[in-house]
């Protein structure tokens, strides 16, 4: 089981030691070490963008994408967004997006990627022969529209007709 997380527990039945039955067993586990292209290091991280990037590059459990098939700029931007500190209502800060879960190696890569994307509200796309990730974050607009950009006069109806204000209900016996 090299390279695979596992736990082996052996319990010997003892009425005095386990009066309420088999105990609940839990463990604190850190995930796989992932490569961070920003620092060129490999270490444990719960950064959602780095985990998605690692899954794409993993040839055993993921898609096996080569480094030339990964848009490093897009993944670095997404990783920076995931690492941004956000203030908590109770005080303190935490990273904007983290991925803390388990990947099912029996599930399809598409399903696993969809699950991982929910951790950063991200969009993964393949463009120009490269995978790129866009994590959810505010992007300042690059253009503005004025009335001069409109094709015609704006017609706005602020009130519904009386007939359209009512819903109908029909009973079935």
């Amino acid at each position: 089981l090299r390279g695979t997380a596992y736990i082996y527990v052996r319990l010997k039945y003892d009425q005095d030691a386990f009066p309420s039955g088999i105990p609940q067993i839990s463990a604190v586990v850190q995930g796989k070490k992932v490569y961070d292209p920003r620092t060129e290091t490999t270490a444990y991280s719960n950064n959602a963008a780095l985990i998605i990037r690692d899954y794409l590059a993993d040839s055993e459990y993921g898609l096996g994408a080569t480094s030339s098939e990964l848009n490093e700029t897009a993944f670095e931007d997404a990783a920076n967004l995931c690492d941004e500190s956000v203030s908590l209502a109770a005080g303190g800060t935490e990273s904007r997006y983290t991925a803390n879960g388990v990947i099912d190696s029996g599930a399809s890569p598409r399903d696993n990627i969809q699950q991982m994307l929910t951790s950063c509200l991200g969009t993964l796309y393949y463009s120009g022969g490269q995978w790129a990730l866009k994590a959810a974050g505010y992007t300042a607009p690059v253009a503005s529209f004025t009335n001069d950009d409109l094709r015609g006069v704006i017609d706005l109806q602020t009130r519904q007709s009386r007939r359209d204000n009512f819903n109908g209900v029909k009973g079935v016996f």
Side-chain angles (χ1 to χ4, degrees):
L1 293 174
R2 291 183 184 199
T4 303
Y6 67 95
I7 186 169
Y8 174 79
V9 178
R10 184 174 178 177
L11 303 172
K12 184 175 180 180
Y13 180 74
D14 184 349
Q15 181 67 33
D16 297 328
F18 307 118
S20 58
I22 298 174
Q24 289 289 343
I25 298 171
S26 62
V28 176
V29 180
Q30 288 186 335
K32 178 183 175 194
K33 293 179 180 180
V34 296
Y35 175 73
D36 188 342
R38 301 170 298 175
T39 61
E40 297 182 358
T41 59
T42 301
Y44 167 76
S45 175
N46 63 356
N47 182 302
L50 297 180
I51 291 170
I52 293 169
R53 183 198 173 283
D54 182 76
Y55 186 78
L56 291 172
D58 190 302
S59 59
E60 187 173 353
Y61 297 110
L63 297 182
T66 63
S67 59
S68 64
E69 293 177 302
L70 299 172
N71 183 333
E72 296 296 357
T73 304
F75 280 101
E76 288 175 13
D77 292 344
N80 289 335
L81 181 66
C82 291
D83 279 341
E84 279 184 1
S85 291
V86 293
S87 299
L88 301 174
T93 62
E94 69 180 6
S95 295
R96 181 175 302 277
Y97 299 122
T98 61
N100 301 293
V102 177
I103 298 300
D104 182 2
S105 61
S108 71
R110 181 180 183 181
D111 291 340
N112 286 334
I113 290 170
Q114 289 291 11
Q115 289 294 320
M116 287 186 275
L117 287 173
T118 62
S119 65
C120 65
L121 304 172
T123 302
L124 183 68
Y125 57 94
Y126 190 78
S127 176
Q130 290 187 319
W131 289 101
L133 175 66
K134 174 75 172 137
Y138 175 74
T139 304
V142 294
S144 60
F145 292 102
T146 65
N147 287 339
D148 296 335
D149 295 316
L150 300 176
R151 184 173 180 173
V153 179
I154 297 175
D155 182 25
L156 184 63
Q157 182 180 356
T158 59
R159 184 174 174 185
Q160 295 269 341
S161 69
R162 188 172 184 100
R163 181 183 64 126
D164 293 337
N165 273 342
F166 295 97
N167 291 326
V169 176
K170 296 180 181 180
V172 177
F173 295 92

